[in-house]
Each structure stands twice: as structure tokens, then as C-alpha cells.
Amino acid sequence: MPSPQPRSVTVHELSRTDARRIAVRAQLLDAARPAGLLDVVRRLTLLQIDPTAAVAPTADLVAWSRLGSSAYAPADLTAALRDRTLLELQAMIRPAEDLALYRAEMAEWPERGTPSSWREYHGKWVAANDACRRDILDRLGASGPLPSRELPDTCELPWRSSGWTNNRNVTKLLELMVQRGEVAVAGRRNGDRLWDLAARVCPGTPAVPVTEALRVRDERRLRALGIARARGPECPVEPADVGEAGEPAVVEGVRGKWRVDPAQLGQPFEGRAALLSPFDRLIHDRRRTLELFGFEYQLEMYKPAAKRRWGYFALPVLYGDRLVGKLDATADRKAGIFKVNATHEDEPFSKDMTAEVGHEIADLARWLDLELIRPE
């Protein structure tokens, strides 16, 4: 019998406009607003946690940009974390049911997604401090939830880093114990994480086998991004690539191969104006942002003030399927004002653009419950 012929695979040919619209719609930033916070997190798969709140905490800002001031309040996120509908996992807020996709990987720690040299160091460092790990588990078992400062530091081998984690032994050990599935964030008190045994925090859903879990996570990530690279550099916590999920595509004028969510192909598009967090997943992959949107962006909070082009925490401005500028603004809660320092236009704003972006700025000030102060 003749051998079966390989099935031909259609490679979708997309314009940059097609690709941008797929990305915007997948990220729930088109005109069709999502139903509520849980719908947002399930569709995006995550909200990133970052302590910077020059305007608002990133998780809240991402939720607001999708839902608007009339449909979202930070108390909604607090309540969802309190009732464990959403969980905090490695500085990401995820739907509680998604924990099943990480359990098997926790069991085979050291973690995936980081360079092998880091994995080797993490394994050796945790083994060297096994006594401290057991002390932490005992203390949490007896008295949790607790902040890290109330947990014993009996590490024999200090954590060494050139960054801010240097010698922060308990904090680093706790974060690695999260990856091992031993502890979890049970909540927050005045911004500080409260730690407890994972068995008391996380739902007892059975683990999805690693191979299947990675496949499902790739598929869900592609659904959230719409279009992404099949392969990319290793990234801690959340990759930017999607493996073999979706279907192959090429984008006109952009080198390389892409994967696209077939459910997004051929869909109508109606855009709107939106202000984005610097950590928003639409622009998180800076290479993809430049290739598809032609949009250059850097978070400049770590630069000296004199070297900033756009501002300390400039918000990218989306209009339809284009990223058209950056908003330099600050929330001064003590003074009760939301101050717009400048709007940097990557392309001249039309009258309609100015009006719609202005409406979003006013909605943001209203959501923050601050008086809007514009440049004179």
C-alpha cells in the first residue's frame, strides 16, 4: 500500500493591519467590552503584578483599560483574590482553575522557562538551605498566614545577586517554594504578601500531566495574544512564544514565522481608544510591538529624569489598531489630582483622535477619583 501523504498545512498570509487587529481583539481592546473582571482574566490568562503605582497598580490598570470606570473597581480584584476565584502565582494573578496546569510542573521542579544554569543554581541553593525551608513550613503550619519578616532566616548559604534580592534569603526561598508547590500567597496586608501552606490556599484540583499542560498553556496564551512567535528566548514565569499552538502564518513585511489563532481570522474589527499599562500584554513583547505596530517603547522609570523621552511611567496610547503615542501623567493622591504632563504624539492626532483619547484620560481620572489637571 502506498504510504499516506502528509497533510498540507495552510500558511495564512496576513497584512500588518490584519495582524494588529488580531492582536488588539485578542487582548480585549477593541470596541466590544468584556463582561467583567473574571472574563478578562480568563481570556488574558493573567494579570501581572508590579508594585509601581505612578498612575495605578498594573493589574488594576489592565483591568480598567478593558472594562472602564463604570464596570471595574479595584475592590473587585481584592474580593476575587479573597474568595480565591483568582490566585496569585509567581507575581501573576490567574484564574484559580488554571492551577491544575502548573501542579505537575511544580512536582518536577527545578522550574522550566529559565536558563539551565539558573535551574542548577536554584536546585543547589534550596538543597543547601533545606533546614530553613523546613523551619518555614513548620512556622506556617502552626501560625500562617504570615508576612516574610515573621518567618525565620536560618539559611546557611546566603542568596547572592547583583540586584535587589541580594541576601533576601527568606523572600527568595519562599518564591522558590511557590515553584515547588509548597507555599502560596494567601493574601496581602498593606501591600505585603501573606504566606501560607499551599494546601490551605490552593484548590485541590488534580494535576494535568506536564506535556498536556504545556500544550494547553500554549493554546491559551495564543488565544490571549492572537498572534505570536512559535519560538523565542526563555522567559521566566510567562513565555512570549506559543510553540505549535494555532496555525502557521506570515506577516507582510515582517521576517520570520508566526502562529495565529484561527478563531481570530476573518473577524470584523471595530476599534476604540485605550490607555495601556507599560506592562500590558499587547506591548509586553517589545520586538513584536515594533514589528507589528511600528511602535517604539521603553519604560523609562529607571532612567535619569533628564534622559527620559516620554516620562517616568508613560502610558502607551492605542487608537483602533495603531499605537499612536504615549501619555505622561501622574496620580498625586495626596494632592487629589491626576496631572497630565504631556501627550507625546507618534503621529499627529486628528480631531476625532484627540477627542476619544481625551475621553479615556477623563475616564481614568474619574476611576482614580482624582481631579484632572491638563497642561495649560
Side-chain angles (χ1 to χ4, degrees):
M1 293 180 62
S3 59
Q5 295 299 310
R7 183 172 62 89
S8 61
V9 177
T10 299
V11 178
H12 300 284
E13 298 181 1
L14 306 174
S15 68
R16 288 197 193 188
T17 299
D18 294 332
R20 290 196 302 268
R21 291 181 174 182
I22 286 170
V24 170
R25 191 168 50 239
Q27 276 288 299
L28 306 178
L29 286 164
D30 61 339
R33 299 272 190 173
L37 176 62
L38 189 56
D39 183 40
V40 168
V41 184
R42 282 175 170 159
R43 287 285 303 277
L44 302 186
T45 76
L46 60 85
L47 294 178
Q48 182 172 339
I49 298 171
D50 187 87
T52 308
V55 172
T58 283
D60 287 320
L61 195 52
V62 169
W64 165 80
S65 67
R66 274 71 179 174
L67 294 166
S69 62
S70 63
Y72 176 71
D76 300 339
L77 180 56
T78 301
L81 290 167
R82 185 175 58 246
D83 66 22
R84 309 278 164 80
T85 306
L86 301 177
L87 293 176
E88 183 175 332
L89 178 65
Q90 292 184 263
M92 302 289 182
I93 294 168
R94 299 185 185 272
E97 64 267 21
D98 281 11
L99 184 64
L101 300 173
Y102 295 86
R103 284 190 180 278
E105 199 170 8
M106 291 173 175
E108 66 169 28
W109 191 88
E111 75 283 12
R112 296 168 181 256
T114 54
S116 57
S117 59
W118 292 12
R119 291 195 289 271
E120 182 180 359
Y121 177 65
H122 289 172
K124 289 181 177 178
W125 188 78
V126 171
N129 293 305
D130 188 63
C132 183
R133 183 183 70 85
R134 293 178 182 276
D135 288 345
I136 289 172
L137 291 173
D138 289 344
R139 181 70 64 86
L140 291 177
S143 306
L146 295 170
S148 60
R149 62 179 174 273
E150 294 183 24
L151 294 169
D153 182 356
T154 56
C155 285
E156 296 182 10
L157 180 63
W159 177 263
R160 296 301 181 207
S161 167
S162 59
W164 69 276
T165 60
N166 188 56
N167 214 35
R168 298 186 64 174
N169 302 326
V170 171
T171 297
K172 193 62 190 179
L173 187 52
L174 284 165
E175 290 172 350
L176 295 175
M177 291 169 73
V178 168
Q179 296 176 9
R180 293 164 60 97
E182 296 174 320
V183 302
V185 177
R188 288 182 178 250
R189 182 190 300 152
N190 298 325
D192 292 334
R193 291 175 289 186
L194 298 176
W195 301 92
D196 205 348
L197 300 179
R200 293 203 288 236
V201 176
C202 303
T205 51
V208 176
V210 169
T211 301
E212 181 183 354
L214 292 174
R215 177 185 61 78
V216 172
R217 280 156 52 183
D218 282 346
E219 290 173 350
R220 296 196 66 233
R221 189 180 312 112
L222 179 59
R223 185 188 181 209
L225 295 173
I227 183 168
R229 298 284 187 182
R231 296 285 181 268
E234 287 185 304
C235 295
V237 184
E238 183 69 13
D241 54 34
V242 295
E244 298 306 307
E247 296 178 359
V250 293
V251 179
E252 182 183 9
V254 180
R255 297 176 61 184
K257 299 178 181 179
W258 298 81
R259 305 295 293 187
V260 65
D261 177 6
Q264 291 284 357
L265 295 169
Q267 296 297 314
F269 180 83
E270 183 181 354
R272 63 179 175 90
L275 304 174
L276 308 181
S277 163
F279 300 101
D280 197 288
R281 289 287 142 171
L282 184 70
I283 55 110
H284 196 270
D285 181 343
R286 305 293 196 235
R287 177 189 173 195
R288 189 186 81 141
T289 303
L290 187 59
E291 289 175 330
L292 299 186
F293 292 86
F295 185 72
E296 182 187 0
Y297 183 80
Q298 273 188 327
L299 180 60
E300 297 182 311
M301 58 190 287
Y302 302 109
K303 289 185 175 183
K307 293 187 177 181
R308 294 175 191 146
R309 290 178 289 174
W310 308 308
Y312 177 84
F313 196 75
L315 307 183
V317 179
L318 176 71
Y319 185 78
D321 61 27
R322 292 171 293 148
L323 290 161
V324 296
K326 295 98 176 168
L327 178 73
D328 178 11
T330 306
D332 187 338
R333 290 166 181 83
K334 288 185 178 180
I337 62 173
F338 179 57
K339 184 178 180 182
V340 174
N341 302 308
T343 302
H344 302 281
E345 301 178 7
D346 283 30
E347 57 181 84
F349 283 15
S350 67
K351 184 178 179 180
D352 286 345
M353 291 169 67
T354 300
E356 292 188 42
V357 172
H359 179 272
E360 287 300 299
I361 293 171
D363 191 70
L364 179 53
R366 183 163 52 249
W367 176 66
L368 293 168
D369 196 22
L370 299 174
E371 179 187 359
L372 176 60
I373 305 295
R374 298 178 185 269
E376 295 182 358

